[in-house]
mmCIF file of all heavy atoms in Angstrom:
data_model
loop_
_atom_site.group_PDB
_atom_site.id
_atom_site.type_symbol
_atom_site.label_atom_id
_atom_site.label_comp_id
_atom_site.label_asym_id
_atom_site.label_seq_id
_atom_site.Cartn_x
_atom_site.Cartn_y
_atom_site.Cartn_z
ATOM 1 N N SER A 26 11.408 28.537 10.469
ATOM 2 C CA SER A 26 11.953 27.481 11.309
ATOM 3 C C SER A 26 11.462 26.138 10.795
ATOM 4 O O SER A 26 10.741 26.053 9.821
ATOM 5 C CB SER A 26 11.505 27.685 12.763
ATOM 6 O OG SER A 26 10.115 27.427 12.865
ATOM 7 N N LEU A 27 11.884 25.075 11.480
ATOM 8 C CA LEU A 27 11.455 23.741 11.086
ATOM 9 C C LEU A 27 10.439 23.186 12.072
ATOM 10 O O LEU A 27 10.328 21.984 12.259
ATOM 11 C CB LEU A 27 12.675 22.814 10.977
ATOM 12 C CG LEU A 27 13.633 23.148 9.839
ATOM 13 C CD1 LEU A 27 14.797 22.158 9.839
ATOM 14 C CD2 LEU A 27 12.930 23.126 8.493
ATOM 15 N N GLY A 28 9.674 24.048 12.712
ATOM 16 C CA GLY A 28 8.646 23.599 13.622
ATOM 17 C C GLY A 28 7.457 23.022 12.868
ATOM 18 O O GLY A 28 7.370 23.072 11.644
ATOM 19 N N LEU A 29 6.514 22.462 13.623
ATOM 20 C CA LEU A 29 5.328 21.887 13.029
ATOM 21 C C LEU A 29 4.348 22.980 12.621
ATOM 22 O O LEU A 29 4.281 24.047 13.228
ATOM 23 C CB LEU A 29 4.656 20.941 14.021
ATOM 24 C CG LEU A 29 5.484 19.739 14.485
ATOM 25 C CD1 LEU A 29 4.667 18.885 15.458
ATOM 26 C CD2 LEU A 29 5.936 18.902 13.303
ATOM 27 N N ILE A 30 3.587 22.705 11.579
ATOM 28 C CA ILE A 30 2.524 23.598 11.121
ATOM 29 C C ILE A 30 1.210 22.881 11.381
ATOM 30 O O ILE A 30 0.912 21.884 10.726
ATOM 31 C CB ILE A 30 2.669 23.930 9.627
ATOM 32 C CG1 ILE A 30 4.037 24.526 9.338
ATOM 33 C CG2 ILE A 30 1.566 24.878 9.183
ATOM 34 C CD1 ILE A 30 4.328 24.682 7.861
ATOM 35 N N ASN A 31 0.428 23.358 12.339
ATOM 36 C CA ASN A 31 -0.816 22.668 12.656
ATOM 37 C C ASN A 31 -2.003 23.318 11.932
ATOM 38 O O ASN A 31 -1.850 24.322 11.232
ATOM 39 C CB ASN A 31 -1.036 22.624 14.181
ATOM 40 C CG ASN A 31 -1.114 24.016 14.792
ATOM 41 O OD1 ASN A 31 -1.637 24.961 14.205
ATOM 42 N ND2 ASN A 31 -0.583 24.145 16.012
ATOM 43 N N LEU A 32 -3.181 22.741 12.095
ATOM 44 C CA LEU A 32 -4.356 23.235 11.378
ATOM 45 C C LEU A 32 -4.780 24.619 11.872
ATOM 46 O O LEU A 32 -5.360 25.397 11.111
ATOM 47 C CB LEU A 32 -5.504 22.240 11.516
ATOM 48 C CG LEU A 32 -5.297 20.917 10.767
ATOM 49 C CD1 LEU A 32 -6.451 19.969 11.046
ATOM 50 C CD2 LEU A 32 -5.156 21.147 9.266
ATOM 51 N N LYS A 33 -4.491 24.934 13.135
ATOM 52 C CA LYS A 33 -4.776 26.291 13.629
ATOM 53 C C LYS A 33 -3.915 27.303 12.886
ATOM 54 O O LYS A 33 -4.393 28.374 12.489
ATOM 55 C CB LYS A 33 -4.501 26.352 15.131
ATOM 56 C CG LYS A 33 -4.688 27.740 15.770
ATOM 57 C CD LYS A 33 -6.130 28.195 15.698
ATOM 58 C CE LYS A 33 -6.399 29.360 16.652
ATOM 59 N NZ LYS A 33 -5.527 30.533 16.400
ATOM 60 N N ASP A 34 -2.632 26.981 12.667
ATOM 61 C CA ASP A 34 -1.759 27.861 11.881
ATOM 62 C C ASP A 34 -2.318 28.055 10.478
ATOM 63 O O ASP A 34 -2.333 29.174 9.945
ATOM 64 C CB ASP A 34 -0.352 27.264 11.782
ATOM 65 C CG ASP A 34 0.335 27.122 13.118
ATOM 66 O OD1 ASP A 34 0.096 27.974 13.995
ATOM 67 O OD2 ASP A 34 1.114 26.164 13.288
ATOM 68 N N CYS A 35 -2.764 26.948 9.862
ATOM 69 C CA CYS A 35 -3.305 27.033 8.500
ATOM 70 C C CYS A 35 -4.578 27.872 8.474
ATOM 71 O O CYS A 35 -4.785 28.674 7.550
ATOM 72 C CB CYS A 35 -3.588 25.633 7.963
ATOM 73 S SG CYS A 35 -2.138 24.600 7.760
ATOM 74 N N SER A 36 -5.444 27.696 9.466
ATOM 75 C CA SER A 36 -6.681 28.475 9.523
ATOM 76 C C SER A 36 -6.389 29.961 9.691
ATOM 77 O O SER A 36 -7.003 30.807 9.023
ATOM 78 C CB SER A 36 -7.562 27.979 10.676
ATOM 79 O OG SER A 36 -7.997 26.660 10.458
ATOM 80 N N ASP A 37 -5.461 30.279 10.576
ATOM 81 C CA ASP A 37 -5.108 31.680 10.790
ATOM 82 C C ASP A 37 -4.534 32.292 9.520
ATOM 83 O O ASP A 37 -4.821 33.452 9.174
ATOM 84 C CB ASP A 37 -4.096 31.802 11.932
ATOM 85 C CG ASP A 37 -4.693 31.466 13.282
ATOM 86 O OD1 ASP A 37 -5.939 31.425 13.398
ATOM 87 O OD2 ASP A 37 -3.916 31.239 14.239
#
Side-chain angles (χ1 to χ4, degrees):
S26 70
L27 293 180
L29 299 181
I30 304 171
N31 60 36
L32 291 176
K33 177 65 164 58
D34 298 327
C35 296
S36 295
D37 291 344

